[in-house]
Amino acid sequence: ARWEMQGRLWCHFLALFFEAVFLFFFGCIDSSTGGWPVALVALVCFSICVNAAEGTSYGIVPYMIPQDLAIVSAVVGAGGTLGAVIATWSFYKSIQDVLLPFKLHACYVMFWALTVLPMRWDHLGSMWWRPGNDKAAGAAAAGAEAASAKDTPVASAA
């Protein structure tokens, strides 16, 4: 629990980020760039990142709206299934090129990875700050500390 929500968000971002990277890499492979052995390695790495991203999303869910845990879990679970349907119809059914759909799908995953960056909860923090350590709270605390230091008498060493 050392990193709390900050660590969960970083793990989620990195899993999604590398999922997109490996999917894009897979979309660049053909017989002239390594063939099936390279494609297999890319897909195994991609699959590991997909499973990690699924796990990290459920590591975040219980903290989003704790009083409505069942509803949030259902929406997140259904959202993953809906995302797969949207990706299939958007990228794989309508594009005739063999590799381009994988590259576009990778961009779609990268978009969702980038949505993790601004995620923030007042009581849990974000990727960048722990709870209470955001810039505004830090500046206010520093100002209050400086003001109280000026008002506090200093004991003399004499």
Side-chain angles (χ1 to χ4, degrees), residues 17-28 42-43 45-46 92 99 101-107 109:
F17 178 83
F18 284 109
E19 178 183 335
V21 168
F22 287 119
L23 184 56
F24 191 87
F25 178 64
F26 176 76
C28 295
L43 279 181
C45 294
F46 165 74
Y92 298 96
L99 296 177
F102 296 108
K103 295 175 187 174
L104 293 174
H105 192 172
C107 293
V109 172

Side-chain angles (χ1 to χ4, degrees), residues 10-124:
W10 271 105
C11 286
H12 190 60
F13 170 74
L14 291 173
L16 285 171
F17 178 83
F18 284 109
E19 178 183 335
V21 168
F22 287 119
L23 184 56
F24 191 87
F25 178 64
F26 176 76
C28 295
I29 298 171
D30 60 10
S31 59
S32 67
T33 57
W36 73 265
V38 176
L40 181 63
V41 170
L43 279 181
V44 167
C45 294
F46 165 74
S47 178
I48 290 168
C49 292
V50 168
N51 286 312
E54 290 171 358
T56 58
S57 67
Y58 281 99
I60 295 167
V61 163
Y63 301 95
M64 293 176 73
I65 308 173
Q67 63 274 19
D68 294 324
L69 180 59
I71 295 169
V72 174
S73 295
V75 169
V76 170
T81 304
L82 179 62
V85 172
I86 290 170
T88 299
W89 283 96
S90 298
F91 307 127
Y92 298 96
K93 296 254 184 201
S94 60
I95 299 173
Q96 299 304 315
D97 187 344
V98 176
L99 296 177
L100 181 61
F102 296 108
K103 295 175 187 174
L104 293 174
H105 192 172
C107 293
Y108 175 73
V109 172
M110 184 61 76
F111 167 78
W112 290 111
L114 295 175
T115 65
V116 177
L117 299 175
M119 286 184 187
R120 181 180 177 276
W121 290 267
D122 291 336
H123 64 292
L124 297 171

